[in-house]
Amino acid sequence: MLDFGAVSLEWGTMLFQALVFLILLVLVRKFALGPALAVMEKRRQHIETEISSAERSRKDSETLLAEQRRLLDEARLEAKALIDRAHKQASDEETRIKKEAEEAAARLKAEATADIAREIAKAKAELQEQVAGLSVLLASKIIEKELDEAAQKSTVDQFLKQVGDRL
């Protein structure tokens, strides 16, 4: 026994307590620490797997995002090409319609000019017929009435007045 004043130690009790402590240490290590370490190792492996899976998913997402951006750019280019083509077609159609309208207007103008020329020729022919008929009528009236010069002048003036009214 060791005596330190108020505290005394007995060798037997100390050895017994040390032995119980070592037994408890072995039992804790075998039954508590081993399974706890195994669970912690499984958890560490699970976390590493999840991290690597998340990294793969992130890389896949970046790849898909790049692909989507590329497809979007292609779609924009195609849309721009379609719009440009539609503008060109509209412009070509506008030019064609204007040309057809100008040709139709020119054709109508030519037809109208020809119609006017025919109507003028017809009117002249009718006028010539009327003048010829009136000349014959005047001549016959003059012959019927052999009048003096004043009466003849009056008849011619009256005839010209009638002709002027008809024209």
Side-chain angles (χ1 to χ4, degrees), residues 92-147:
D92 292 347
E93 187 70 14
E94 177 186 14
T95 303
R96 184 186 63 77
I97 290 172
K98 282 182 180 179
K99 182 180 176 185
E100 288 176 0
E102 288 171 357
E103 290 172 354
R107 191 172 47 251
L108 288 173
K109 184 178 176 183
E111 289 173 3
T113 303
D115 286 346
I116 290 171
R118 280 193 298 273
E119 289 298 321
I120 289 174
K122 185 178 172 183
K124 283 182 181 179
E126 287 178 9
L127 185 59
Q128 285 176 349
E129 285 179 20
Q130 286 180 359
V131 168
L134 290 175
S135 296
V136 169
L137 182 63
L138 177 63
S140 67
K141 283 190 179 186
I142 290 176
I143 293 174
E144 282 178 9
K145 291 182 179 181
E146 290 195 17
L147 302 173

Side-chain angles (χ1 to χ4, degrees), residues 78-92:
E78 286 180 24
K80 185 179 182 317
L82 285 173
I83 290 170
D84 290 344
R85 203 171 331 143
H87 282 285
K88 184 178 181 329
Q89 286 176 347
S91 176
D92 292 347

